[in-house]
Amino acid sequence: MNEVNDHHNTNEFSKQIQKVAKNELCESQCIREQSLEQLRNWLSKNMDILNMRCDDGFLLRFLRAKKFSVTLAQQTILKYLNIKRTFPHLSTELDILDAKLNDIISSGYIFATPKRDKNNRRVIIVNAKGFNAKLYGSSEQAKVHFLTYECLMEDPITQVVGVTHIGNFSGVTTQHVTNWKPSEFARFFKWGEQSLPMRHKEIHLINLPSGLKWLIEFAKGRVSLKIRNRLTVHSNAEELCKSIDPECLPRELGGRMSTKEMLDLWKRELLKKRDIILKLDEITLLTDCGIQCKRSGKLKNSTDFLKHYENLQGSFRKLEID
């Protein structure tokens, strides 16, 4: 297993990482240099973006996410900045020292495990029971997700190989889901995949209540076919361990290291990158006029979602999850 190690010099990539970069992203030194130059030229002429961060590491996260299509990387930059512009209460002020965010993370709601999997990917664990939905709302919940992603996206290896997600629904309650305004959740969820320059390679769900299956179907309808095909539902931890190396899992899910030990290492990692992440709030998008939008017809109409959302509380009570 590979310990976490942030390489800021692409020349330090192992042969395995270089192979993935070349085969999956069409990345080479020549393409990298040409693409960075084109992207910087575009940014220098774009009057809608202020205080842009233009170091190689930051720009490469967008290029790698779009397999070095400069045009698509440009759109992802605009969408990434627009989600911060449109939902600042959900995606800015990502401070690990903020009392609320620190408490949520310390409770084990979301963290990246310290060991990489066999594909050199970081594994992101989300534990529903780690989020106190009676104490915190959707703003804090979204922020700890963004904080996690921003920290991981700083790592060039993660930019190349992507991440693995594990969602543990044990302890989920009605309030966890109804914490969000339906319209905001639908909009935010739809924008998420398009806006964050991340490679979501695997998504594993465990301990999923039958009452939440409609929500998973809704989610599937709002993301690309590629993401839908990468989602797997497991009935128990033993089954999960057949797909994920136990070394990458907390003890509570069949792994070796306790969640607390993993959390201590993760919080140390977040502290190390605190200033870099907070400085991202200085980047400003003045207008969304440069964003090209695709219309999705996958949901018949918004009332489908709203109807399910309104009936969810009753479904949960019948299941006696609370």
Side-chain angles (χ1 to χ4, degrees):
M1 299 303 299
N2 299 309
E3 296 288 352
V4 174
N5 189 9
D6 292 350
H7 293 274
H8 293 283
N9 184 345
T10 52
N11 294 326
E12 295 178 15
F13 278 172
S14 68
K15 289 184 179 179
Q16 183 183 1
I17 303 299
Q18 290 178 26
K19 186 177 180 180
V20 174
K22 181 180 179 181
N23 294 344
E24 295 186 16
L25 309 181
C26 304
E27 181 171 347
S28 67
Q29 183 175 344
C30 180
I31 289 174
R32 198 163 50 236
E33 290 174 356
Q34 289 179 357
S35 301
L36 284 168
E37 183 180 4
Q38 291 175 41
L39 200 53
R40 286 195 179 99
N41 286 339
W42 173 74
L43 286 166
S44 69
K45 298 170 185 174
N46 193 315
M47 297 296 103
D48 290 333
I49 303 175
L50 303 179
N51 304 317
M52 183 60 179
R53 185 176 149 190
C54 289
D55 58 279
D56 287 4
F58 187 70
L59 298 183
L60 281 169
R61 69 167 71 173
F62 298 97
L63 288 165
R64 285 171 172 145
K66 295 304 173 183
K67 300 184 178 181
F68 285 85
S69 165
V70 176
T71 302
L72 292 179
Q74 291 169 356
Q75 282 297 304
T76 306
I77 287 174
L78 293 175
K79 290 174 182 177
Y80 165 82
L81 295 177
N82 194 46
I83 208 168
K84 290 175 175 288
R85 171 179 172 269
T86 309
F87 301 103
H89 60 297
L90 304 178
S91 58
T92 62
E93 299 180 356
L94 310 176
D95 191 353
I96 179 58
L97 296 183
D98 175 88
K100 294 179 179 179
L101 303 190
N102 193 290
D103 184 47
I104 294 169
I105 291 169
S106 299
S107 297
Y109 171 61
I110 182 170
F111 59 95
T113 62
K115 292 190 181 275
R116 298 180 185 273
D117 66 14
K118 62 184 178 181
N119 296 305
N120 281 295
R121 298 179 195 135
R122 297 298 298 276
V123 179
I124 301 172
I125 308 287
V126 176
N127 290 309
K129 65 181 179 182
F131 184 79
N132 188 338
K134 294 179 180 177
L135 193 58
Y136 302 114
S138 57
S139 296
E140 291 86 7
Q141 188 174 18
K143 281 186 176 186
V144 291
H145 278 269
F146 265 96
L147 176 56
T148 303
Y149 304 150
E150 288 290 5
C151 183
L152 293 176
M153 285 188 290
E154 286 293 327
D155 174 28
I157 293 179
T158 298
Q159 292 173 8
V160 172
V161 300
V163 296
T164 293
H165 300 270
I166 297 176
N168 181 8
F169 285 83
S170 176
V172 71
T173 66
T174 308
Q175 198 158 356
H176 278 101
V177 183
T178 56
N179 222 357
W180 285 78
K181 293 179 181 177
S183 57
E184 184 170 62
F185 178 83
R187 191 176 172 204
F188 191 67
F189 190 92
K190 180 181 178 182
W191 285 18
E193 184 192 352
Q194 303 173 15
S195 304
L196 291 176
M198 295 181 71
R199 306 191 71 212
H200 309 282
K201 300 299 289 185
E202 296 179 46
I203 303 168
H204 300 269
L205 306 181
I206 186 171
N207 299 319
L208 184 68
S210 58
L212 268 186
K213 287 182 179 176
W214 72 266
L215 183 60
I216 302 305
E217 290 306 311
F218 163 77
K220 285 182 178 180
R222 305 293 278 188
V223 297
S224 65
L225 177 63
K226 176 178 68 178
I227 295 295
R228 291 204 297 277
N229 290 339
R230 293 174 180 175
L231 189 148
T232 307
V233 177
H234 303 276
S235 55
N236 53 53
E238 185 178 336
E239 193 177 300
L240 176 66
C241 287
K242 293 177 182 177
S243 298
I244 303 293
D245 190 325
E247 288 287 335
C248 302
L249 297 173
R251 193 176 297 145
E252 294 80 354
L253 289 177
R256 312 280 189 269
M257 190 182 290
S258 71
T259 294
K260 184 183 182 306
E261 290 174 289
M262 289 187 170
L263 282 171
D264 288 343
L265 292 170
W266 175 239
K267 287 167 71 175
R268 219 177 294 170
E269 194 174 338
L270 290 172
L271 275 170
K272 183 180 175 183
K273 296 179 181 174
R274 177 177 178 261
D275 292 342
I276 293 172
I277 293 170
L278 288 175
K279 199 169 177 60
L280 292 171
D281 288 352
E282 296 177 8
I283 308 173
T284 305
L285 181 69
L286 299 178
T287 172
D288 62 359
C289 65
I291 297 176
Q292 299 170 6
C293 295
K294 287 184 180 178
R295 291 195 171 273
S296 173
K298 290 176 183 173
L299 205 63
K300 291 178 183 178
N301 54 60
S302 60
T303 58
D304 289 351
F305 174 67
L306 297 175
K307 181 177 67 175
H308 279 302
Y309 214 93
E310 289 164 358
N311 292 334
L312 182 64
Q313 192 168 1
S315 299
F316 263 80
R317 283 177 177 162
K318 288 177 184 176
L319 290 167
E320 296 182 343
I321 292 174
D322 283 15

